[in-house]
DNA sequence: TCTGATCGCGCG
DNA sequence: AAAGCGCGCGATCAGA
């Protein structure tokens, strides 16, 4: 059952479609519902499941509707996010020949890829968690049911026009489903939040920084370090937070650094270096994840960041506010399971090199990937058994290293794994030439920047060099895009499969005593998921995580002999994982 | 006084 | 000027 959901002057309008492909309305008269009654209507439709299948909600943007539904206690099984899917279809090489992609404004852009023209109009203000009975939070009108249906029909037509060779149509369809599922997961994770113990966080801050200072003042330990630095560097007015100021002070003391980055400072042995590095570490903690952060982002024992699905061109998620995807190891001890619960932290080990092996169908690398530790497997084949070298070589291949040790190791890697190295080299050359590359499931890299096009018209030798530099830069981007993006494809499928299994556990009953396992997805970080689960449901969740990883591999690559092992830790707090 | 760029560092 | 990929964010700094 396919249901369009659009904003309407009197609230919301919904309409059933006969089937996905044709986007024909099943009933001529759409149903209108006041926003205050929408949650009940949605709940009813989810529960009744006409035709046995749960409905698929087709809406402009998941974040317009779903947070408020969740706030009303209503979940949906599945959706189709027109904005996210439209962006994929507009740029995918798989659908590049379709009217849908051709009618999209594909002018080279410097800045983030623009969504398809048809989807640009008014964006309602993001008002997370607001209830429908707050009129200001209602999804903005501007997208009528008819427009929604036309857009959906256009997208379905584009999908139908994708060739079946190499299973491309199915792959793209899978990507659209996974992306829509990701939008649902993101909204649900934001709603649930990461369990966060303020008291533990404050303990961490106090132990490193001292007691909480009055606003605008440095914590005592930071202040003491600053005073020590001023003395050691004979610079009474030094502000260690100012790179320029700091650089001058260092030079005055004969410390000849070209920047004040910590890796460069480490090269020096001056007595001021150690306290300086300590200052930098603590000042970062204070500024990024100190008391102010706690005040702003943690409420009621939960950290609720805003996830931005599709926020990275490669398909990775981004986040807004609170630095959700950069929680430093230092404060992970504050992420703590509720009483009677556990955190299950699952990590897809060495995901990207494994994805590369599968993409390139490199059987030698597949063999190394049968090892739980892929880098050790590779070291066993070359690099004199040196795991660190094997790792550096492989990362260098995926990132496009040309110099340094990683660059020197490349020929050796190419001898052992010619197919894998050739795969990323091809992606790099395509990007240098202004071409587009595509992930396993069909997400394509954006067209070259304005700067790239301009640099093509270079005449002087100087401009020529500059053009080559820009081209190489784009080559490194496309080289990495195929790997990072295909890994994101895999992770989206993993997440979607896991959500489905965790939902099934809730109603499954745990063996006699009734009541299922109420486990929640709490956090997702590129190749890592965290599940917050009741202690007696941990076993079932672990199985679900493993099964989902297997399913994701099959969905992307079929039955190939490459392993995607998941390492798991069952812990009370996040710092104890890994 | 405000705005946008730059530096630096956290995460994968 | 050259640079191994992708991000978000805070403090400082340059310029309007």
């Amino acid at each position: 059952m396919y249901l369009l959901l659009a904003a309407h002057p009197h609230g919301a309008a919904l309409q059933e479609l006969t089937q996905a492909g044709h986007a024909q309305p099943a009933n001529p008269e759409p149903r209108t519902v006041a926003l205050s009654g929408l949650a009940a209507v949605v709940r009813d439709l989810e529960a009744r499941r006409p035709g046995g299948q749960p409905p698929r909600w087709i809406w402009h943007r998941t974040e317009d509707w779903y947070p408020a539904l969740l706030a009303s206690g209503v979940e949906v099984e599945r959706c189709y996010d027109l904005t996210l899917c439209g962006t994929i279809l507009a740029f995918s090489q798989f659908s590049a020949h379709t009217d849908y992609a051709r009618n999209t404004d594909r002018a080279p852009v410097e800045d983030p890829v623009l969504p398809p023209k048809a989807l640009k109009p008014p964006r309602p203000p993001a008002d997370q968690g607001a209830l429908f009975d707050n009129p200001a939070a209602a999804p903005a009108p501007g997208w009528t049911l008819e427009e929604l249906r036309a857009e959906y029909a256009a997208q379905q037509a584009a999908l139908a026009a994708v060739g079946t060779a190499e299973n491309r149509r199915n792959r793209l369809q899978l990507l659209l489903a996974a992306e829509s599922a990701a939008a649902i997961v993101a909204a649900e994770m934001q709603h649930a939040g990461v369990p966060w113990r303020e008291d533990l966080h404050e303990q961490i801050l106090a132990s490193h920084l001292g007691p909480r200072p009055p606003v605008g003042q440095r914590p005592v330990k930071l202040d003491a370090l600053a005073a020590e630095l001023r003395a050691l560097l004979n610079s009474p007015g030094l502000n260690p937070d100012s790179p320029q100021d700091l650089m001058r002070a260092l030079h005055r003391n004969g410390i000849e650094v070209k920047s004040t980055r910590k890796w460069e400072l480490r090269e020096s042995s001056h007595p001021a270096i150690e306290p300086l590095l300590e200052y930098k570490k603590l000042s970062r903690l204070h500024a990024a994840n100190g008391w102010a952060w706690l005040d702003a982002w943690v409420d009621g024992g939960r950290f609720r960041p805003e996830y931005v699905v599709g926020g990275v061109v490669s398909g990775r998620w981004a986040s807004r506010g609170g630095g959700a995807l950069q929680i430093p190891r230092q404060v992970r001890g504050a992420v703590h399971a509720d009483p009677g619960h556990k955190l299950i932290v699952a990590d897809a080990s060495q995901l990207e090199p494994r994805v590369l092996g599968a993409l390139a169908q490199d059987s030698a690398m597949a063999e190394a990937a049968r090892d739980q530790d892929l880098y050790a497997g590779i070291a066993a084949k070359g690099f004199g058994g040196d795991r660190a070298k094997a790792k550096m070589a492989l990362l260098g291949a995926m990132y496009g290293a040309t110099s340094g040790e990683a660059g020197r190791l490349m020929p050796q890697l190419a001898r052992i794994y010619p197919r894998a190295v050739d795969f990323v080299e091809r992606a790099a050359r395509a990007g240098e030439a202004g071409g587009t590359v595509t992930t396993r499931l069909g997400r394509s890299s954006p067209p070259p920047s304005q700067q790239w096009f301009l640099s093509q018209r270079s005449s002087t030798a100087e401009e020529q060099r500059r053009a080559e530099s820009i081209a190489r830069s784009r080559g490194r981007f496309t080289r990495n895009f195929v790997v990072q993006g295909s890994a994101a494809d895999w992770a989206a499928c993993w997440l979607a499969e896991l959500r489905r299994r965790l939902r099934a556990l809730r109603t499954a009953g745990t063996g006699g005593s009734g009541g299922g396992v109420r486990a929640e997805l709490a956090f997702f970080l590129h190749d890592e998921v965290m599940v917050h689960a009741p202690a007696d449901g941990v076993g079932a969740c672990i199985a679900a995580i493993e099964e989902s990883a297997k399913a994701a591999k099959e969905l992307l690559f079929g039955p190939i002999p490459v392993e995607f092992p998941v390492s798991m830790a069952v812990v009370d707090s996040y710092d104890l994982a890994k």
Side-chain angles (χ1 to χ4, degrees):
Chain A
M1 185 190 202
Y2 297 85
L3 281 165
L4 299 168
L5 179 59
H8 184 271
H10 304 302
L14 32 126
Q15 186 164 48
E16 187 181 344
L17 300 180
T18 49
Q19 49 178 305
H22 303 290
Q24 295 301 319
N27 44 351
E29 280 303 306
R31 180 173 172 190
T32 59
V33 184
L35 286 182
S36 57
L38 183 62
V41 170
V42 172
R43 179 188 286 124
D44 181 54
L45 284 163
E46 286 287 325
R48 275 198 294 123
R49 303 203 164 191
Q53 282 272 32
R56 186 183 293 278
W57 297 92
I58 303 166
W59 48 41
H60 176 206
R61 302 192 316 161
T62 303
E63 69 243 57
D64 292 344
W65 298 100
Y66 201 33
L69 289 172
L70 287 168
S72 307
V74 176
E75 292 184 359
V76 303
E77 178 100 11
R78 47 187 205 167
C79 79
Y80 185 95
D81 187 304
L82 284 164
T83 302
L84 293 174
C85 294
T87 300
I88 290 171
L89 284 166
F91 291 94
S92 175
Q93 287 300 107
F94 291 4
S95 54
H97 62 286
T98 64
D99 287 344
Y100 189 84
R102 277 203 300 266
N103 292 337
T104 302
D105 182 1
R106 308 192 63 183
V109 280
E110 192 64 33
D111 306 312
V113 178
L114 297 172
K117 242 182 198 161
L119 288 173
K120 267 193 235 169
R123 312 187 109 208
D127 199 340
Q128 60 256 35
L131 292 163
F132 281 133
D133 46 27
N134 169 10
W143 278 87
T144 66
L145 215 44
E146 289 68 32
E147 287 167 331
L148 229 52
R149 184 156 53 82
E151 176 63 25
Y152 182 64
Q155 291 189 16
Q156 289 298 305
L159 182 62
V162 172
T164 53
E166 296 171 320
N167 220 14
R168 284 185 170 197
R169 189 189 301 162
N170 287 340
R171 277 151 63 186
L172 196 52
Q173 185 168 22
L174 173 60
L175 180 59
L176 301 183
E179 188 86 338
S180 295
I184 283 184
V185 170
E188 288 175 353
M189 286 197 331
Q190 188 183 354
H191 178 71
V194 182
W196 203 285
R197 284 266 303 270
E198 286 192 59
D199 59 326
L200 294 178
H201 192 146
E202 277 169 349
Q203 273 177 31
I204 293 166
L205 294 179
S207 73
H208 287 97
L209 300 166
R212 178 172 192 161
V215 276
Q217 282 187 35
R218 280 202 185 101
V220 287
K221 297 211 182 180
L222 213 44
D223 214 35
L225 278 167
E228 186 184 350
L229 284 170
R230 283 190 280 262
L232 283 166
L233 294 169
N234 295 307
S235 310
L238 172 68
N239 172 11
D241 290 325
S242 161
Q244 293 180 10
D245 205 4
L246 184 57
M247 182 102 86
R248 279 190 293 267
L250 292 170
H251 286 174
R252 274 199 303 276
N253 287 268
I255 306 168
E256 296 303 327
V257 284
K258 293 198 292 296
S259 75
T260 61
R261 294 184 192 137
K262 66 178 182 186
W263 61 264
E264 196 177 343
L265 293 172
R266 274 202 211 102
E267 305 294 304
S268 170
S269 57
H270 191 279
I273 295 300
E274 197 197 310
L276 176 54
L277 291 174
E278 179 70 4
Y279 178 90
K280 279 174 162 282
K281 192 173 159 193
L282 293 185
S283 112
R284 165 84 193 178
L285 173 64
H286 176 56
N289 295 97
W291 292 275
W293 181 91
L294 209 40
D295 288 347
W297 294 104
V298 178
D299 188 39
R302 292 291 186 272
F303 169 42
R304 291 196 172 76
E306 189 179 348
Y307 301 97
V308 186
V309 175
V312 183
V313 285
S314 65
R316 278 185 171 184
W317 294 13
S319 72
R320 232 180 337 243
L325 307 186
Q326 312 138 247
I327 300 169
R329 294 183 178 282
Q330 257 180 321
V331 302
R332 290 188 180 185
V335 181
H336 198 285
D338 287 349
H341 287 63
K342 291 283 183 186
L343 300 174
I344 306 165
V345 182
D347 178 291
S349 318
Q350 303 148 348
L351 177 59
E352 292 194 357
R354 289 171 198 277
V355 164
L356 173 57
L359 284 172
Q361 299 179 54
D362 189 313
S363 51
M365 188 169 280
E367 195 180 318
R370 234 158 285 157
D371 203 308
Q372 186 78 20
D373 181 352
L374 172 131
Y375 296 128
I378 285 175
K381 289 278 179 189
F383 305 102
D386 187 335
R387 184 185 182 278
K389 273 190 180 173
K391 180 175 179 178
M392 182 169 298
L394 204 43
L395 289 175
M398 292 189 297
Y399 291 156
T402 54
S403 62
E405 194 185 356
R408 283 195 298 279
L409 293 169
M410 284 294 284
Q412 206 177 337
L413 189 74
R415 270 202 305 280
I416 319 175
Y417 306 110
R419 291 184 66 110
V421 170
D422 183 60
F423 190 89
V424 286
E425 288 294 331
R426 279 168 186 270
R429 286 196 291 271
E432 287 171 6
T436 299
V437 296
T438 301
T439 68
R440 178 68 187 171
L441 293 185
R443 192 189 309 263
S444 294
S445 60
S449 64
Q450 193 82 59
Q451 201 190 27
W452 184 91
F453 281 102
L454 289 173
S455 75
Q456 290 302 100
R457 296 201 293 268
S458 56
S459 45
T460 68
E462 173 63 32
E463 285 173 343
Q464 198 71 44
R465 272 197 300 279
R466 173 114 179 101
E468 280 161 18
S469 162
I470 289 169
R472 278 196 301 275
S473 167
R474 182 168 154 80
R476 286 192 300 278
F477 168 63
T478 51
R479 170 196 294 268
N480 187 253
F481 182 95
V482 290
V483 180
Q484 186 186 110
S486 297
D489 290 349
W490 182 92
C493 291
W494 185 36
L495 205 53
E497 290 285 332
L498 178 56
R499 174 180 185 262
R500 202 160 58 75
R501 284 169 173 77
L502 291 180
R503 279 168 69 79
L505 284 180
R506 288 200 222 161
T507 50
T510 49
S513 61
V517 175
R518 296 200 62 84
E520 274 173 344
L521 273 161
F523 192 56
F524 171 62
L525 186 56
H526 310 317
D527 60 358
E528 179 180 322
V529 298
M530 180 190 293
V531 174
H532 187 218
D536 64 0
V538 165
C541 290
I542 287 176
I545 293 168
E546 264 168 359
E547 286 166 19
S548 303
K550 283 206 171 59
K553 187 201 90 172
E554 288 272 337
L555 285 168
L556 259 75
F557 299 113
I560 56 158
V562 178
E563 298 298 319
F564 289 85
V566 175
S567 73
M568 271 184 270
V570 179
V571 292
D572 289 317
S573 66
Y574 193 16
D575 60 329
L576 301 175
K578 267 204 267 196

